[in-house]
Each structure stands twice: as C-alpha cells, then as structure tokens.
Amino acid sequence: MLRHVIAPSSGWTKASHTVVRDRRMNSDAKILLLYVQGLPESATGRPLGELAQKLEMKGRAYQQAKKQLIEHGYVHEWRGQGDGGRWVTEQLFANTPLTRDEARAVRARLSPEGAGSTRAERLSAPPPSAQSPTVGEPTPPSAGGYVPEEEHVDENTPHPPSEAEPEPNPGPEPEPDPKPGPEPEAGHRPTPAQEPGAEARPPQPPPSPQLTRAERVLLSLRHTRRELLLGVGEARALAVEAAKWLERGLTESELRHALLAEPPKGGVRSAVGFLRHRLTHKCPVAPAPVAPPEPPPPPVRALITCTSEAEEDHVFRPLGDETECADCRRATAYASWMVDTDTYDFPPDMTWRQRFVAVAKADALRGEPA
C-alpha cells in the first residue's frame, strides 16, 4: 500500500494510537472522543449529548458510544441534588482511560472549591421564593354550577313530584274537515302507509331472476335433508351468495347437488352457518371473459394495370386507392431525390425495374428526352 501524508499546519487534534487502534470501541465513540478533545475551553460547559448532536449523532448511536466511553474510562459522571431540589449531572472527559479514583482526584483538582460539596450543589438553582397568599376566602364547592334555592330536610322522597306546568292559552279550535276520510273498520289496524303523516316510501324493485331461483333452491333443500330447513328470511339472506353460483354458469340442479354433497359426519348443527360456509368457500371461479372475435380480413381486390410510365405494362393488386405499384412509387420518390441531388447512385436493394423507371422519371423531370 502506498501512502501520502502531509501533516496539517493548523486545525489539527492529537490522536493517541491507543484510541485510534482500540478495537473495543466503535467508530462513533472514537469520533466523539476526538471531537470533544479538540474543542476549546469555552465549549466544555455543554453536556456530552449536546456536543454529540453537532455530529448528528442521536438516539441509539449516541447511547452506544457513550456507554463504551464510560466502560473504558474516558467519560465519568456524578449525579447530585442541590438545595433547590434539582438533579444535576456532572461529566468529566479525559483523552486517556482513568479509573474511578483517578477521575475523582482529577475532578477535585479541576474544581478545588468543590472538594467538600458536589458541583451539582453549586450549580443548582436557588430555592423558590415565598409567594403571596391567594386573595379571598375559601368558599363551598358548587355541584355543576347549580345552587339549590332551598333545602328539604324533612322530605326523603327520591323523586319529588314536579310542579304543574301552567296550561297554555287555548287558541281557536281548527275547523273540522268537511270531507273526512273513511274510518277503519272495527278490529282492523291501519298499515303504516295508511297512517296519517306517514311518508310514502318508493316501491322496492323486484328481485333479479337469479335471486328468485337461488331462494327457491335453498328452500327446496329441506325436502332432501330435513336438517337443512330454512326460514324465508334466512333463505333470502343466503340467496345473495347462492345467486353468484348461478351468475357463473351453474344450473339449479348443480347448485343443489353442491350444497347436498358430502354432508358432515357429525350432522349439521346450524343450517344457516353450514350453507353460508359452503356457499362462500366453494364458490366456483368466475369464467374468463370471452375474447372478442377477430375482425374479418379485408376483401381481396382485383388486379389493375399500373399507370406509371414504365417500359412494360404490368398489373398489381392495390391495397387502397393507389394507381401505381409499390416499385413505381418508390422509383418516383427516388427520381425526385436524383433531380435534387444530381446523382445516379442507387441503393443495393433496388431492382432493375425500379432503377429504369427512376432514371426515366428523373430525365422527364429535368426536361431531357428519354
């Protein structure tokens, strides 16, 4: 391996080989260690987590790097509670591993005034000041903002009678309807549509033929197996799933056979549950859509004679309303190109007939005799 190294003249940090080559720490821990080591004294008052955010090191990566630095003696922490009741964490950073006793001695030397008391106590906020008492006197609580007008001590009725409401002033009586409707007969209860004030409901559309057929098949199952007896409402609810079978090409007999085949050994406990499970899980796959038929080929046209100025008359079968064959049309296009470029170069795939016609048409366009 070739190496080209230039020592920086400024903006550098001394890194120990012990730190760089230590395999017990990951790269995040080493980068954080070297970053904090190169900071000026004015930036050492910030916590380690805030300094790590400068390197965009957050979350799990920062916690893992800090854990490794603490385990190997590069970072030491002390937590203490001051007079104000606040907890403060004091951190010590070193570029060489220190034991706990060595770190405590370095801490006492860096802050001699804190030998008897912790720095957390010196950094703690002052105790809160005394506050003025609340203005006013205590008042009894009110229940829901409602204060009773009077107390009923003697009464013990859980539901006291409510006061009689004043009767409203009777207004003018409505005039009787001159043409009353027919009164219902005795013992006859009017239907909801006949009741006064009932809104007229729109008539429901008739069920589809598939639903009617499916409901008829479900109601007929009881004739073969008594345990599959269904009510009208149950059959109508299951007919929605059974109609899907009929819509996919099955006949009524095939649907009946699929519902009656392979009965359970222990019998059917619930006819509705058994039929719903079989209709849902054994529903046949919908048939693939039929591809539209291919359009018929265009009719074959009759042969016509080419109208180009060729040496020999020839015929061709047109595809549309063209009057010249493909070779002559190509020769005409190539003749225009020959006149514009004044050249007689022919492509290798051009037939002798096309070349002859192209030269003749080019001469005609130039006004030269053929």
Side-chain angles (χ1 to χ4, degrees):
M1 177 186 66
L2 302 178
R3 187 177 64 169
H4 176 69
V5 180
I6 299 177
S9 59
S10 62
W12 49 272
T13 302
K14 291 184 179 180
S16 173
H17 291 289
T18 306
V19 176
V20 177
R21 300 173 183 176
D22 194 349
R23 298 183 179 181
R24 299 173 298 174
M25 296 190 301
N26 57 14
S27 58
D28 292 338
K30 296 177 182 179
I31 292 174
L32 183 59
L33 177 61
L34 297 177
Y35 175 74
V36 177
Q37 177 183 344
L39 290 176
E41 292 295 333
S42 59
T44 56
R46 300 180 182 180
L48 187 62
E50 184 177 346
L51 297 176
Q53 291 182 358
K54 301 291 184 179
L55 301 174
E56 298 184 357
M57 189 182 304
K58 305 176 183 178
R60 181 63 179 172
Y62 166 69
Q63 296 295 337
Q64 187 69 17
K66 178 182 176 182
K67 179 181 177 181
Q68 294 180 2
L69 292 176
I70 293 176
E71 290 178 354
H72 298 90
Y74 292 99
V75 175
H76 298 269
E77 291 183 342
W78 293 272
R79 294 192 65 192
Q81 189 174 10
D83 298 334
R86 295 185 179 181
W87 286 89
V88 180
T89 302
E90 186 178 3
Q91 295 177 335
L92 173 64
F93 171 82
N95 61 348
T96 57
L98 299 177
T99 62
R100 192 64 176 176
D101 296 336
E102 294 174 349
R104 193 177 294 110
V106 172
R107 176 193 175 205
R109 185 175 69 255
L110 294 178
S111 56
E113 68 277 5
S117 61
T118 62
R119 188 182 179 188
E121 296 176 354
R122 293 181 281 103
L123 296 178
S124 60
S129 60
Q131 298 181 0
S132 303
T134 307
V135 178
E137 298 179 355
T139 57
S142 59
Y146 171 76
V147 179
E149 297 181 358
E150 57 181 353
E151 297 182 359
H152 303 277
V153 181
D154 300 335
E155 298 180 2
N156 195 19
T157 305
H159 301 285
S162 59
E163 298 180 0
E165 299 180 357
E167 297 182 359
N169 296 329
E173 297 181 358
E175 297 181 0
D177 190 1
K179 295 180 181 181
E183 298 181 358
E185 300 178 359
H188 175 70
R189 185 177 181 181
T191 60
Q194 297 176 355
E195 292 181 357
E199 298 180 359
R201 297 181 180 179
Q204 297 182 356
S208 61
Q210 286 82 3
L211 284 175
T212 305
R213 293 166 52 197
E215 184 178 349
R216 184 170 59 248
V217 172
L218 293 173
L219 292 175
S220 65
L221 297 178
R222 60 188 177 90
H223 300 294
T224 305
R225 294 175 57 183
R226 186 65 181 175
E227 55 188 1
L228 297 181
L229 175 63
L230 295 175
V232 177
E234 297 173 342
R236 192 164 300 169
L238 293 175
V240 178
E241 298 294 333
K244 298 179 182 179
W245 292 55
L246 302 178
E247 293 174 355
R248 297 181 180 182
L250 274 75
T251 61
E252 296 183 14
S253 60
E254 292 174 344
L255 174 60
R256 184 181 296 105
H257 176 74
L259 296 178
L260 296 175
E262 300 179 2
K265 297 180 180 180
V268 177
R269 298 181 181 180
S270 173
V272 178
F274 169 75
L275 294 176
R276 181 182 291 111
H277 181 273
R278 180 156 292 190
L279 288 172
T280 304
H281 291 77
K282 289 194 174 183
C283 185
V285 181
V290 180
E294 297 181 359
V300 180
R301 299 195 176 190
L303 297 175
I304 62 175
T305 304
C306 182
T307 58
S308 64
E309 298 177 359
E311 195 175 85
E312 297 180 358
D313 295 339
H314 57 280
V315 296
F316 74 99
R317 197 181 302 276
L319 299 177
D321 54 353
E322 65 269 15
T323 58
E324 294 183 359
C325 63
D327 294 342
C328 294
R329 293 199 304 271
R330 183 182 182 187
T332 302
Y334 197 76
S336 301
W337 178 79
M338 292 171 60
V339 173
D340 296 338
T341 59
D342 194 16
T343 180
Y344 283 91
D345 294 335
F346 299 99
D349 60 337
M350 200 170 185
T351 62
W352 66 269
R353 181 187 296 276
Q354 294 175 352
R355 297 183 183 185
F356 179 80
V357 175
V359 171
K361 290 189 176 184
D363 294 340
L365 293 175
R366 294 192 182 97
E368 300 178 0

